[in-house]
Amino acid sequence: MKSASIIMIIGSALLLGLFVFPLWSIELEAPQYPSGIGMNIHLDGLQGKEKHDLQNIDGLNHYIGMRKLPKADEMWEFSAFPKVIGGMAALGIIIGLLGLFKVISAKWFLGWLILMCALGILGMYDFNAWMVDYGTNLDPKAIMKMTDADGNPLSYKPPLFGTKHILNFVAHSYPSIGAYMMGFGMFLTFVAFWMGNKKVKSLKA
C-alpha cells in the first residue's frame, strides 16, 4: 500500500502542472499567415502563441461577425477551473497520505479518479458548448456574410479535437502540455488503485 499511496500522491500533484502549462492549443494556418497564428488556453485565461496573435484573431473575426475573444474576467470558467483543479490536486494528495498511513483503502483512489473523469467530461462539454456559441452566434451586421450552397450562414466553430478547414484557414485543436500532465497523473492514480487493490487481495489469500 505504501508504493501505491506514493504513486497516488505523485499522480494528483501532476494536476498542478496546469497552473504553469496550457491545457489546450488552437492554431490557425492560412496563406496570409505562413507561420500560423494561435492561442493557448490556460486555466485562468487565453494567451497568444505570439505577442499579437490574439489581436490578429480578433481582427479576422470582426469581419465575419464573431465576438472578441473573452478576457479572463468575462468567463466564469477562468475563475472556477483553477479552484476545481487546485481542490482536486489537494484532495488527491490528502487521500494518498491517508493511504500511506493505512487510514483508508485503495478504493478511495478509484473514487478520486471517477470524480476527476466526471469533472473532465463536464469541462470538455462546457468547452465545446462555448466554441459552438462562439462560432455560430454571429453579428448580423458583419462586414462579410458567408453562406453555404443552400444559403445558410456558415459556422466558424473550431474543432474540439483535430483539424478543420474554415474558409481559407486550417484550424488545429489539440491538447497541450498541461492536459498531458493531467492525463498521465490520472493514469498513475489508476495504477495506484490497481497496486493497492492487488496488495489487499494478496493479503487475504
Side-chain angles (χ1 to χ4, degrees):
M1 189 65 178
K2 180 179 179 180
S3 298
S5 298
I6 292 174
I7 293 174
M8 177 66 194
I9 293 170
I10 294 173
S12 302
L14 282 175
L15 267 66
L16 298 175
L18 284 166
F19 288 92
V20 180
F21 301 103
L23 172 66
W24 216 263
S25 175
I26 297 178
E27 187 169 347
L28 301 173
E29 296 178 357
Q32 64 267 45
Y33 295 103
S35 59
I37 57 175
M39 62 181 177
N40 290 320
I41 301 173
H42 292 259
L43 285 182
D44 58 353
L46 305 177
Q47 186 178 62
K49 287 183 174 290
E50 300 295 337
K51 184 177 180 181
H52 299 294
D53 278 5
L54 294 185
Q55 292 177 335
N56 289 333
I57 292 172
D58 277 338
L60 292 168
N61 291 347
H62 170 73
Y63 288 101
I64 55 178
M66 294 175 71
R67 299 188 302 277
K68 286 188 175 182
L69 294 169
K71 305 294 183 184
D73 60 352
E74 294 174 343
M75 287 184 66
W76 65 268
E77 290 89 342
F78 290 142
S79 60
F81 285 3
K83 296 174 184 176
V84 171
I85 292 298
M88 287 301 295
L91 178 61
I93 291 171
I94 291 172
I95 289 174
L97 289 171
L98 292 175
L100 189 63
F101 293 102
K102 300 180 180 180
V103 177
I104 60 175
S105 70
K107 291 181 179 179
W108 283 80
F109 301 171
L110 181 61
W112 181 94
L113 179 60
I114 292 173
L115 177 58
M116 190 64 208
C117 286
L119 291 172
I121 292 171
L122 289 174
M124 293 300 291
Y125 175 82
D126 179 76
F127 179 37
N128 186 66
W130 173 77
M131 289 201 297
V132 169
D133 180 64
Y134 180 69
T136 59
N137 189 9
L138 307 177
D139 184 353
K141 299 179 181 179
I143 298 171
M144 298 175 61
K145 299 180 178 65
M146 310 298 292
T147 59
D148 59 21
D150 298 322
N152 299 312
L154 289 178
S155 169
Y156 303 103
K157 173 189 174 296
L160 177 64
F161 180 88
T163 297
K164 179 181 179 181
H165 289 265
I166 305 175
L167 297 179
N168 65 323
F169 284 86
V170 179
H172 306 282
S173 177
Y174 290 100
S176 195
I177 297 174
Y180 291 122
M181 292 182 69
M182 178 176 65
F184 184 60
M186 293 170 68
F187 170 74
L188 287 181
T189 61
F190 176 78
V191 172
F193 162 71
W194 178 78
M195 289 179 61
N197 197 48
K198 184 179 179 181
K199 182 68 175 179
V200 170
K201 288 182 178 179
S202 65
L203 292 174
K204 292 180 178 180

